[in-house]
Amino acid sequence: NFLHCCTSLPECGLSLSPMCTCIPCIWQRLLFLCFSLSRHPCRAVVNNDPIIGDKLKVVYLENYRVSFAEKVIPATDLSEQISLAGTEASGTGNMKFQANGALTIGTLDGANVEMSEEMGRENIFVFGMEVDDVNALHKKGYVPRQYYESIPVLKRVLDQVRSGEFSLPGNETEFHGLVDNLLNHDRFCLLADFEAYLKSQDDVSALYKNQDAWHRKAVLNIAAAGKFSSDRTIGEYARDIWGVESFKMPPAPATATAV
């Protein structure tokens, strides 16, 4: 219940404390940032940009549901599954994208691991730390600010967000808490994986220019998706977890027909 994470937060959720760093407030600010980048009439920084506004759009899909997914997933070229390795936050959604021909850019987390094993690492854009790397980083002591200070493009991005350029009018400190959380805590090591993510996006762009090569990888993704069928999954759960034996239905008895 994101809208009630602060006792002073009204039902509309528009009066977040800019310095609150609790997880619900952080998520709420991320939603506001998407709104500011895409739809707010006084901002829409990306969508109204004179250089890229007709080439790149930020769209927030409201009321996302199965019937909506049936339209969005088949239309997708690239699926981004960028959770931190080891958090098991990457699930069956990316398998649906794979089965419909989208390529994946992601970390080796959750279902991405199984997908890469089936399709081959050459057919998925893998970036960032693996589980052992994450554990080693935390053991050494993760200091996200060091990445901010050593990667110019990362510093520029965070400074731009903090400056108020993407904030709603009259609320220029809106994203201070979000940036401060990343610089001082960064629970999911976003800053540590940032540079590798940019490099992988360069690889995505280079491949997309070669549509024959892109389509070949898309077909190989689809061909490798068979393992993730619900029949196979339910069968393994029944055998390995629930201990349920398969049961073959006996043939239906012959029905006498009156003449």
Side-chain angles (χ1 to χ4, degrees):
N1 191 351
F2 293 166
L3 296 184
H4 299 284
C5 57
C6 296
T7 56
S8 61
L9 193 62
E11 288 291 331
C12 65
L14 295 179
S15 297
L16 291 168
S17 166
M19 300 312 296
C20 182
T21 57
C22 72
I23 295 299
C25 273
I26 294 299
W27 278 111
Q28 188 79 340
R29 283 194 203 90
L30 285 173
L31 293 178
F32 287 169
L33 181 56
C34 289
F35 177 71
S36 180
L37 290 173
S38 60
R39 293 183 55 191
H40 194 277
C42 297
R43 285 293 185 263
V45 179
V46 173
N47 293 4
N48 292 339
D49 187 271
I51 298 176
I52 64 168
D54 61 342
K55 300 178 179 66
L56 178 66
K57 297 292 184 184
V58 178
V59 179
Y60 181 73
L61 303 179
E62 299 179 11
N63 195 19
Y64 185 75
R65 56 200 182 279
V66 172
S67 57
F68 204 165
E70 289 174 344
K71 298 179 177 67
V72 172
I73 291 176
T76 300
D77 289 319
L78 183 68
S79 167
E80 302 214 9
Q81 306 292 333
I82 56 179
S83 52
L84 178 65
T87 58
E88 295 295 325
S90 175
T92 58
N94 43 341
M95 296 175 179
K96 297 184 181 83
F97 284 106
Q98 176 198 357
N100 281 272
L103 302 191
T104 299
I105 179 173
T107 55
L108 280 180
D109 179 56
N112 291 348
V113 177
E114 298 175 81
M115 288 167 52
S116 65
E117 291 172 350
E118 292 300 307
M119 71 177 70
R121 286 285 290 268
E122 68 277 10
N123 294 311
I124 182 173
F125 298 99
V126 174
F127 74 91
M129 298 179 289
E130 299 185 18
V131 174
D132 289 343
D133 301 320
V134 175
N135 293 337
L137 179 63
H138 285 305
K139 185 176 181 180
K140 181 181 71 174
Y142 177 44
V143 184
R145 190 174 290 272
Q146 291 179 348
Y147 294 86
Y148 166 80
E149 293 172 349
S150 62
I151 304 174
V153 65
L154 175 59
K155 185 177 187 303
R156 179 184 174 189
V157 167
L158 293 181
D159 286 350
Q160 202 166 11
V161 173
R162 186 181 176 85
S163 72
E165 182 171 345
F166 304 134
S167 302
L168 302 187
N171 198 13
E172 284 70 23
T173 62
E174 184 173 14
F175 301 122
H176 283 194
L178 174 61
V179 174
D180 289 343
N181 181 278
L182 289 172
L183 291 177
N184 299 307
H185 304 288
D186 191 13
R187 176 181 175 185
F188 298 108
C189 302
L190 299 181
L191 305 196
D193 273 343
F194 180 81
E195 202 165 29
Y197 171 75
L198 293 187
K199 172 60 172 64
S200 193
Q201 282 287 6
D202 288 340
D203 295 338
V204 170
S205 297
L207 181 67
Y208 197 73
K209 293 176 182 178
N210 185 342
Q211 284 292 289
D212 288 342
W214 184 279
H215 292 152
R216 182 177 186 278
K217 289 184 184 292
V219 170
L220 292 173
N221 268 253
I222 296 171
K227 177 183 177 181
F228 307 121
S229 71
S230 56
D231 289 342
R232 193 272 308 171
T233 304
I234 293 170
E236 286 190 4
Y237 270 61
R239 183 185 68 248
D240 301 335
I241 298 176
W242 302 324
V244 178
E245 298 293 332
S246 61
F247 177 75
K248 186 175 182 180
M249 293 290 291
T255 303
T257 304
V259 178

